[in-house]
Amino acid sequence: MSAAAAAPSITSKKQTQAITEIPHWINGAPFKGTSGRFSDVFHPTQGRVQSRVPLATDAEVDAAVQAAAKAFPAWSALPPLRRARVMFRFREIFESRGTEVAALINREHGKVHSDAMGEVTRGLENIEFATAIPQLLKGEYTEQVGAGIDSWSVRQPLGVVAGITPFNFPAMVPLWMFPVALACGNTFVLKPSERDPSSAILLAEMLKEAGLPDGVFNVVHGDKTSVDAILAHPTIQAVSFVGSTPIAEYVYTTGTKHGKRVQALGGAKNHMIVMPDADLDQAADALVGAAYGSAGERCMAISVAVTVGAQTADNLIGKLESRIADLRIGDGSQDAPNGESDLGPLVTRQHLDRVTGYLDIGGKEGAELVVDGRKTALPKGDGFFLGACLFDHVKPEMRIYREEIFGPVLGVVRVNTFEKALELINEHEFGNGTSIFTRDGDTARDFARRVQAGMVGVNIPIPVPMAFHSFGGWKRSLFGDHSIYGPEGVRFYTRLKTITARWPTGIRTGVDTSMPTLG
């Protein structure tokens, strides 16, 4: 069965296309939902329902967990090299079908094809990292820690682990989680976003083709009912989450209460400082790409530009306006009739309404709406489109500054000094990513050292680490002790065990109740 398994056609006066039903994936095969509850999956460019996804029952979540638990002993007992070979085959399949993955992302999420291909590439890098697992699981060994005594450490898998992923990166964020988790010897249950769930099933099909044993990777769709079932399930040892801060905090609090290891990545309000000595053309190009790419639906989007000096702000605003005017908004599919656009739609009508609501809020709060994306020439039809929006004279007390909008909205905050710009970032509740544009090495170094954020860019607008580093914010952008993927991913999905041993030949010292010193 394909990633969008066929179901009986459902039609109405406004809806003539057949609606397909997306299955769960349990124990190596598609599994038709039995709950009778469904969530609509929209085609954001066209504004229509294109499929529906079943929302799992507690019993279906349990079936996925039990399949994973049954598969765990044999999978974890495989030599890491053999698990790595499965990842190598998965990598080849994923790369060969990257265009197919990108097209699916475009149809369900709405991001333009080139951006979707960027998501595919960044996901591929995490699979490639996981193929190195034999090297990554090497422990430490010390001979003769005491007379005739040796000591060594090993990293062992946790068991059944789970991932709960957001709508904005339906392929990449799951790939932040399960390749490393599986390579470490765990088995996995994924709950993708119900807004764009088909990528998860396509990934499951690829893993099956790569030779992954049945039950090692499972997918259950759902809403809060499924999330709560995962968080409370006694067999699940760890949960990875990416999403908004309120939900991240809930996942962390609830999961740890049930004795689980949890990494929960939350929201962001990423600032870019633009210094007076910056190359303003370079900074403007970077801001437009980082603020409006993927229609702003990125946790690493730059949503606040902090300009140092009035002249810096005035000059930058002019450059931003001219670049925004050139942005193409529309169908971002590979075969779009007018060529690929720069910005696609937002994911749902509900989310579009939420983002446009912030435009009204910002105006009432006193910010100047320099560019109103609602007045941009938008594609005709029912798609969920909004043009790039630009606020000037944003103040720290405003909601459009404090809250994550998650849309194509950039706010400019004017300050007079670098110290004030740094203070703004450090006082914000989020500390995900940040950036500075400057030609001054002293300023850049001081910024990188003192700023309170987990990921920092210097003349780099979106400082997302490569797969062999790790991704994670500070403050209310991350709950838990571990960042995601990379070396931190290996540490999160394994437990450290240290063994100290000596053999009994010739040992006749009798009982000794003092603290052993070994040496």
Side-chain angles (χ1 to χ4, degrees):
M1 189 178 295
S2 67
S9 297
I10 302 172
T11 58
S12 68
K13 293 180 180 179
K14 294 183 179 180
Q15 184 83 45
T16 58
Q17 295 92 341
I19 296 179
T20 57
E21 186 174 315
I22 300 163
H24 306 295
W25 184 273
I26 298 176
N27 202 28
F31 182 89
K32 187 176 176 63
T34 62
S35 69
R37 297 192 307 122
F38 295 88
S39 180
D40 290 335
V41 179
F42 289 88
H43 195 304
T45 299
Q46 300 175 6
R48 65 175 179 86
V49 177
Q50 60 179 323
S51 56
R52 63 179 192 167
V53 61
L55 304 178
T57 64
D58 288 358
E60 288 166 342
V61 172
D62 182 64
V65 174
Q66 295 307 324
K70 184 178 179 181
F72 173 71
W75 176 248
S76 61
L78 284 179
L81 181 60
R82 291 182 62 184
R83 297 197 297 264
R85 287 171 181 159
V86 174
M87 290 296 106
F88 270 110
R89 290 192 292 271
F90 174 54
R91 180 219 172 277
E92 294 301 312
I93 295 165
F94 181 80
E95 184 177 39
S96 70
R97 300 179 68 181
T99 302
E100 180 183 351
V101 177
L104 192 57
I105 294 168
N106 168 259
R107 288 198 302 273
E108 290 191 344
H109 174 271
K111 67 179 63 175
V112 301
H113 177 75
S114 60
D115 190 26
M117 284 302 298
E119 175 175 347
V120 168
T121 298
R122 295 309 299 262
L124 179 68
E125 291 165 2
N126 284 277
I127 305 172
E128 291 170 338
F129 176 81
T131 63
I133 201 65
Q135 170 71 17
L136 298 168
L137 289 180
K138 284 167 52 178
E140 299 172 330
Y141 188 96
T142 302
E143 185 182 31
Q144 288 289 94
V145 294
I149 301 173
D150 305 322
S151 189
W152 65 95
S153 63
V154 295
R155 302 206 72 93
Q156 296 185 333
L158 306 178
V160 180
V161 299
I164 303 168
T165 57
F167 72 84
N168 58 322
F169 287 99
M172 185 185 75
V173 172
L175 291 168
W176 284 1
M177 300 176 184
F178 73 78
V180 170
L182 297 183
C184 287
N186 301 282
T187 53
F188 204 92
V189 176
L190 173 65
K191 195 218 81 70
S193 171
E194 63 274 21
R195 296 180 187 178
D196 44 10
S198 294
S199 296
I201 302 301
L202 183 56
L203 293 172
E205 292 174 351
M206 292 180 187
L207 286 166
K208 173 94 171 180
E209 184 181 347
L212 190 74
D214 293 346
V216 174
F217 180 77
N218 306 271
V219 179
V220 288
H221 306 292
D223 52 10
K224 186 176 183 296
T225 299
S226 301
V227 170
D228 287 342
I230 288 170
L231 296 177
H233 202 291
T235 302
I236 293 175
Q237 301 297 304
V239 176
S240 299
F241 172 85
V242 176
S244 69
T245 284
I247 307 303
E249 186 171 26
Y250 174 80
V251 167
Y252 179 76
T253 302
T254 307
T256 53
K257 183 177 71 175
H258 286 92
K260 302 187 191 317
R261 181 180 293 188
V262 180
Q263 54 180 185
L265 281 69
K269 197 72 177 181
N270 303 314
H271 297 57
M272 177 195 287
I273 295 177
V274 182
M275 296 296 294
D277 68 339
D279 182 324
L280 289 188
D281 286 311
Q282 183 187 63
D285 287 340
L287 272 170
V288 170
Y292 304 124
S294 197
E297 293 174 329
R298 293 172 175 160
C299 65
M300 288 299 288
I302 296 293
S303 53
V304 178
V306 185
T307 55
V308 179
Q311 185 175 358
T312 304
D314 292 341
N315 292 340
L316 182 65
I317 288 288
K319 292 179 183 295
L320 291 173
E321 284 186 273
S322 66
R323 285 161 171 79
I324 290 171
D326 292 336
L327 291 174
R328 300 163 298 166
I329 302 165
D331 183 357
S333 64
Q334 188 178 26
D335 55 354
N338 298 319
E340 183 182 309
S341 301
D342 298 304
L343 271 71
L346 296 175
V347 67
T348 62
R349 173 69 60 185
Q350 181 184 22
H351 188 55
L352 172 62
D353 292 343
R354 177 183 176 276
V355 173
T356 55
Y358 276 102
L359 302 182
D360 296 328
I361 291 169
K364 292 176 182 177
E365 290 179 325
E368 179 187 351
L369 187 54
V370 178
V371 180
D372 186 344
R374 295 170 294 190
K375 298 178 180 179
T376 304
L378 300 175
K380 296 180 179 179
D382 297 324
F384 311 135
F385 291 99
L386 177 65
C389 305
L390 177 64
F391 277 108
D392 193 7
H393 301 287
V394 175
K395 305 297 183 183
E397 62 270 16
M398 296 178 178
R399 284 184 61 190
I400 60 169
Y401 174 80
R402 292 184 287 108
E403 299 175 10
E404 184 177 35
I405 298 174
F406 220 63
V409 183
L410 174 64
V412 176
V413 179
R414 296 169 176 244
V415 298
N416 293 322
T417 66
F418 165 74
E419 288 296 330
K420 181 59 179 177
L422 181 63
E423 178 184 311
L424 281 174
I425 300 172
N426 288 347
E427 289 184 349
H428 204 285
E429 68 170 324
F430 297 130
N432 203 45
T434 188
S435 181
I436 187 170
F437 272 64
T438 181
R439 289 185 171 96
D440 188 284
D442 289 340
T443 301
R445 186 176 186 276
D446 188 41
F447 173 75
R449 186 179 64 84
R450 290 200 287 148
V451 72
Q452 295 177 22
M455 293 167 284
V456 181
V458 176
N459 299 317
I460 298 283
I462 305 179
V464 178
M466 293 291 287
F468 39 85
H469 290 275
S470 295
F471 180 109
W474 287 12
K475 297 182 281 189
R476 289 180 60 79
S477 293
L478 174 66
F479 297 85
D481 297 327
H482 291 278
S483 296
I484 203 166
Y485 72 69
E488 281 284 275
V490 175
R491 286 188 278 271
F492 179 77
Y493 290 121
T494 57
R495 292 189 179 98
L496 182 68
K497 179 182 287 184
T498 302
I499 302 116
T500 303
R502 80 178 162 190
W503 301 103
T505 304
I507 301 172
R508 297 290 185 271
T509 58
V511 174
D512 185 352
T513 60
S514 62
M515 178 69 181
T517 57
L518 301 183

